[in-house]
Amino acid sequence: MSAKRSTARRLRRNAIHRTSAINYANAYEFNRNSNYPNFSDNCTNYASQVWHEGAGVPEDNNWEEFEFAPGGYYYTHSWSVASDFLSFWSGDPYVIIRTISGSQMQQPYNGLDLGDAIVYDSGNNSGSADWHHTAIEHHWNSSGDFEIQNTTDEVVAWNRWYYTHNATQQANMRAHGWRAIHPTTSDYN
């Protein structure tokens, strides 16, 4: 039995705690958790922490991080690299991957649930997506949806990523889309 399937079964038995995920995200938005490595591009590491520590998603051999000596960490690419995070969770039968593309990127609302992950294309390649950034759905109100991210340590409009890129990159993003990762087993505890 593969480790991915093992994780999926644990994911099915153990609901994702969405409110707890957001509480963790808030606690470590500006003050990094010293129990984890800190990268200059920390977004996917942070999203993995939010899902594991906050939401209660169990680690396995294909998605994990641990400290093996003071300051010495081991982590899988699926824990810390946006493209590998997306690839790993795309193979989970209890996760829905939704594509957000075209004019949807310019809308104020994305329809995600608290704690869902969004993996963003950089827009640098015209031929294929370059999965470059991961953020967590944080909250929504009458102004729109907001995400929390840890590379720049802020809560921002979910589609700010789109508007901080040039016209060519925006066109590539509209063509490739972004990916929203939604665990289907959840509660709001």
Side-chain angles (χ1 to χ4, degrees), residues 43-49 51 62-63 76-91 97 115-119 131 133-136 179 181:
C43 58
T44 307
N45 175 43
Y46 176 67
S48 290
Q49 289 176 45
W51 276 24
N62 295 311
W63 181 71
T76 59
H77 281 195
S78 60
W79 181 276
S80 59
V81 177
S83 58
D84 294 325
F85 181 86
L86 174 61
S87 178
F88 176 77
W89 290 107
S90 294
I97 306 295
D116 283 356
I118 307 168
V119 180
W131 305 115
H133 179 61
T134 308
I136 298 291
R179 301 299 182 267
I181 306 172

Side-chain angles (χ1 to χ4, degrees), residues 42-65:
N42 203 53
C43 58
T44 307
N45 175 43
Y46 176 67
S48 290
Q49 289 176 45
V50 168
W51 276 24
H52 176 62
E53 294 285 346
V57 177
E59 293 177 328
D60 78 2
N61 292 335
N62 295 311
W63 181 71
E64 67 179 337
E65 177 288 327

Side-chain angles (χ1 to χ4, degrees), residues 24-25 28 49 56 58 79 134 150 152-153 157 172 178-179 182:
Y24 181 91
Y28 292 103
Q49 289 176 45
W79 181 276
T134 308
N150 200 229
T152 55
D153 302 347
N172 291 338
W178 297 330
R179 301 299 182 267
H182 172 78

Side-chain angles (χ1 to χ4, degrees), residues 130-151:
D130 173 27
W131 305 115
H132 187 75
H133 179 61
T134 308
I136 298 291
E137 178 74 6
H138 186 266
H139 72 277
W140 51 90
N141 60 33
S142 61
S143 299
D145 280 299
F146 295 87
E147 65 174 27
I148 192 166
Q149 55 187 351
N150 200 229
T151 298

Side-chain angles (χ1 to χ4, degrees), residues 10-53:
R10 286 183 286 171
L11 188 60
R12 179 69 171 158
R13 283 197 316 264
N14 300 312
I16 302 304
H17 304 287
R18 292 181 180 279
T19 303
S20 298
I22 298 308
N23 290 341
Y24 181 91
N26 289 335
Y28 292 103
E29 176 186 3
F30 298 110
N31 303 308
R32 308 285 169 96
N33 185 337
S34 62
N35 293 324
Y36 289 91
N38 183 27
F39 304 104
S40 58
D41 290 329
N42 203 53
C43 58
T44 307
N45 175 43
Y46 176 67
S48 290
Q49 289 176 45
V50 168
W51 276 24
H52 176 62
E53 294 285 346

